[in-house]
Amino acid sequence: MELYDAMRTNPSCRYFTDDPVDDATLHRIFDHARFASSGGNRQGWRTVVVREPAMKAAIAALHARQWNVYLEHAREGVVGFQTSDEKTKMDTYDPSQHRLTRTDDFTNSLANVPALLVCCVELWTLAVTDSELDRQSIVGGGSLYTFVQNVLLGCRNEGLGSALTTLLAAEEPEVAELLGLPEGVAVGALVAVGWPEPDKQYTKLSRKPVEEVVFSERYGVPFGP
Ligand SMILES: Cc1cc2nc3c(=O)[nH]c(=O)nc-3n(C[C@H](O)[C@H](O)[C@H](O)COP(=O)(O)O)c2cc1C
């Protein structure tokens, strides 16, 4: 598949068929994804592929617990899990019933998704250059999510659907217990992977134009062709 096509046509897949995802396909995806960039080329990303039904059910239950927290916040018109007590009101939050229903369906069927990838990072490999600033830190994740995005694109290239979520990170102690994560290994994402249920997929993604998100020389000056 052509790279730009893959980038433009890779929605969050929330409905999957029951068909299994074979080891060779997953291995091929990881074998390409591992060429992602990471700070100092430390490659601290570690992924646990979960396919045992009991383990998937346990992970799905933890995810659902956090989804319910998120829903509670959404109902109050408050989203964002900030480190301070001040929760952030987000003007742009889209509480459309359609999206909530799809995500709710996804949460309820997560245990049946063929493969759950628990994407972790070894914290000691990270150089967190914004850790001294008076705001929440975002840099550390940069050395995990490059790999995760490559996995999402690799799935698309194989015809697989995928959905990235980060709710599971809030359940890290339980996840560590279940999967045997060593001390200092953090949970950064859960990626659900399977073959897309054909009738339930989006055909066109909706994203902001370049001019709204990329600037020329100064913040706010649209970058145009
Ligand atoms: C950091 C992050 C967290 C996300 N968490 C969830 C989640 O908990 N549940 C879910 O269904 N989708 C989750 N998503 C997927 C987004 O909702 C999705 O990318 C966005 O709504 C755009 O949808 P589309 O890619 O299908 O167009 C997450 C995406 C990111 C990048």
Side-chain angles (χ1 to χ4, degrees), residues 118-200:
V118 181
C119 302
C120 306
V121 65
E122 296 181 340
L123 291 173
W124 61 88
T125 67
L126 305 177
V128 186
T129 54
D130 62 349
S131 61
E132 302 294 318
L133 297 181
D134 186 22
R135 61 154 172 78
Q136 63 185 348
S137 173
I138 63 155
V139 166
S143 286
L144 169 63
Y145 297 117
T146 46
F147 173 79
V148 174
Q149 177 66 15
N150 270 0
V151 170
L152 302 181
L153 288 172
C155 287
R156 178 72 185 99
N157 192 50
E158 297 287 347
L160 286 162
S162 63
L164 161 67
T165 101
T166 51
L167 291 173
L168 195 66
E171 299 284 353
E172 188 172 287
E174 286 81 354
V175 177
E177 183 78 25
L178 282 170
L179 301 180
L181 304 185
E183 186 76 25
V185 172
V187 177
L190 172 70
V191 178
V193 177
W195 303 101
E197 174 66 57
D199 296 340
K200 298 218 165 186

Side-chain angles (χ1 to χ4, degrees), residues 50-116:
V50 178
R51 283 180 297 192
E52 288 173 11
M55 189 61 90
K56 285 196 297 184
I59 298 281
L62 292 173
H63 175 90
R65 194 154 74 181
Q66 288 303 318
W67 173 241
N68 286 329
V69 173
Y70 182 91
L71 270 185
E72 198 55 41
H73 290 174
R75 274 189 211 104
E76 294 166 7
V78 177
V79 287
F81 302 97
Q82 307 294 317
T83 47
S84 73
D85 290 340
E86 271 294 294
K87 297 198 183 85
T88 307
K89 287 255 181 206
M90 290 177 64
D91 298 336
T92 53
Y93 177 63
D94 165 24
S96 76
Q97 195 52 46
H98 178 69
R99 193 167 76 83
L100 285 183
T101 302
R102 290 177 71 86
T103 312
D104 214 35
D105 289 349
F106 170 70
T107 303
N108 293 330
S109 60
L110 195 59
N112 301 323
V113 175
L116 300 181

